Amino acid sequence: MYSRPRLIPCLSIQDRGLVKTTKFTNPRYLGDPINAVKIFNGKGVDELCILDITATSENRGPDFEYLKDIASEAFMPLSYGGGITTLSEIEKLFYIGYEKAIINTSFVTKPELIKEAVEFAGSQSIVVSIDVKNELFGKKSCYINDGKTKVKHDPVTLAKRAEELGAGELLLNSISYDGTMKGYDLDLVKDVSESVSIPVIACGGAKDIYDFKRVLEDGKAHAAAAGSMYVYYGAKKAVLITAPEEQELIDIGIYKQN
């Protein structure tokens, strides 16, 4: 038996297309998300995170019709974030086959939604997403509204608040590292992970499985999510939907024998 920290492909969607951003900007179209899901089915990934990156800034809710199509093809647990503002939307998300709802903007603008959602579904199904940008002089600022609106609280303060409201997990995403494939912001991940008792999923910057190992061990993350390394191949970033082999993860010690 092996202990297996979760390694999660994070797929960004825009206008029903699979895209990848760099620092939350310049989305590059990569193809059909459903085709990517079908490929991941055969790769044995732990779970899949779907993020609609323009739902909130376009002032619309989740595209349930399309999300249902995605869920119908997925063999692994699914989480979804983007444009969630009401409990009824969360209920519908679970009804069509998603296990977790990811909430970012509404966590700040209507925190009572987190409490309501936890009462309805349990903390294990409610994830708060915290998007962080590195500013001048080492300051780390948090953003909502698809990374467009700065909020006054720092990442640790928001993480503690999410835990107080009952969220079961945090998705900690570095805007500054997103799509750069230069490794995770280990200081950010460690600071947040050590400030709360709920699991922290690190996202933003992973290039390879060694980055997974670093963020899990040095960053104290509970799980590692990534976008680019699951959809790109090589220095020129050719589009290739892929995932690490289990033996690779055993060989470098991410999966450890109990």
Side-chain angles (χ1 to χ4, degrees):
M1 290 288 293
Y2 286 87
S3 62
R4 299 167 57 99
R6 289 175 298 145
L7 307 175
I8 306 167
C10 196
L11 300 183
S12 300
I13 59 173
Q14 181 179 14
D15 300 326
R16 296 192 172 186
L18 176 64
V19 299
K20 186 67 197 82
T21 57
T22 300
K23 299 184 179 181
F24 279 34
T25 62
N26 302 319
R28 176 189 176 189
Y29 177 75
L30 303 178
D32 182 357
I34 292 178
N35 286 339
V37 170
K38 290 177 179 178
I39 293 170
F40 284 127
N41 282 336
K43 298 290 185 180
V45 299
D46 299 313
E47 62 186 79
L48 202 54
C49 172
I50 309 293
L51 298 176
D52 187 328
I53 63 170
T54 56
T56 298
S57 58
E58 292 175 356
N59 197 30
R60 58 176 173 80
D63 183 350
F64 288 109
E65 181 182 354
Y66 193 61
L67 292 176
K68 186 176 180 180
D69 290 343
I70 292 174
S72 70
E73 297 291 344
F75 297 163
M76 74 291 287
L78 293 171
S79 58
Y80 169 80
I84 298 172
T85 59
T86 67
L87 183 59
S88 62
E89 288 172 335
I90 294 171
E91 292 174 357
K92 190 170 183 180
L93 197 63
F94 294 144
Y95 179 75
I96 63 173
Y98 288 74
E99 279 78 14
K100 296 178 183 179
I102 302 171
I103 302 169
N104 171 256
T105 300
S106 292
F107 160 59
V108 172
T109 60
K110 48 189 304 187
E112 67 276 4
L113 178 62
I114 306 299
K115 284 188 173 182
E116 293 172 3
V118 169
E119 288 176 7
F120 167 73
S123 62
Q124 76 285 346
S125 296
I126 306 302
V127 182
V128 163
S129 172
I130 300 175
D131 297 334
V132 184
K133 183 185 291 186
N134 293 349
E135 314 268 24
L136 293 174
F137 310 115
K139 183 179 179 181
K140 296 182 185 294
S141 299
C142 297
Y143 284 73
I144 57 173
N145 191 29
D146 302 329
K148 295 177 173 59
T149 304
K150 184 191 288 192
V151 299
K152 62 181 180 179
H153 298 299
D154 63 86
V156 167
T157 300
L158 285 185
K160 291 179 177 178
R161 178 60 175 151
E163 183 175 31
E164 290 170 0
L165 290 170
E169 288 186 327
L170 299 174
L171 176 62
L172 181 64
N173 204 344
S174 171
I175 298 173
S176 300
Y177 284 58
D178 169 59
T180 63
M181 301 184 77
K182 64 179 183 181
Y184 293 93
D185 186 339
L186 295 178
D187 290 338
L188 167 66
V189 177
K190 185 178 181 182
D191 285 348
V192 172
S193 296
E194 292 183 339
S195 73
V196 293
S197 59
I198 58 177
V200 173
I201 306 165
C203 191
K207 177 183 179 181
D208 53 34
I209 58 177
Y210 296 96
D211 286 329
F212 284 164
K213 185 176 174 68
R214 291 184 193 100
V215 81
L216 292 165
E217 294 182 356
D218 300 338
K220 311 298 184 185
H222 184 272
S228 295
M229 71 164 283
Y230 284 105
V231 299
Y232 288 143
Y233 175 78
K236 294 186 177 180
K237 293 187 175 181
V239 178
L240 177 67
I241 308 300
T242 188
E245 297 292 335
E246 181 169 359
Q247 191 59 51
E248 294 179 273
L249 301 169
I250 292 171
D251 289 344
I252 72 164
I254 292 178
Y255 290 172
K256 297 181 174 69
Q257 194 157 16
N258 292 331

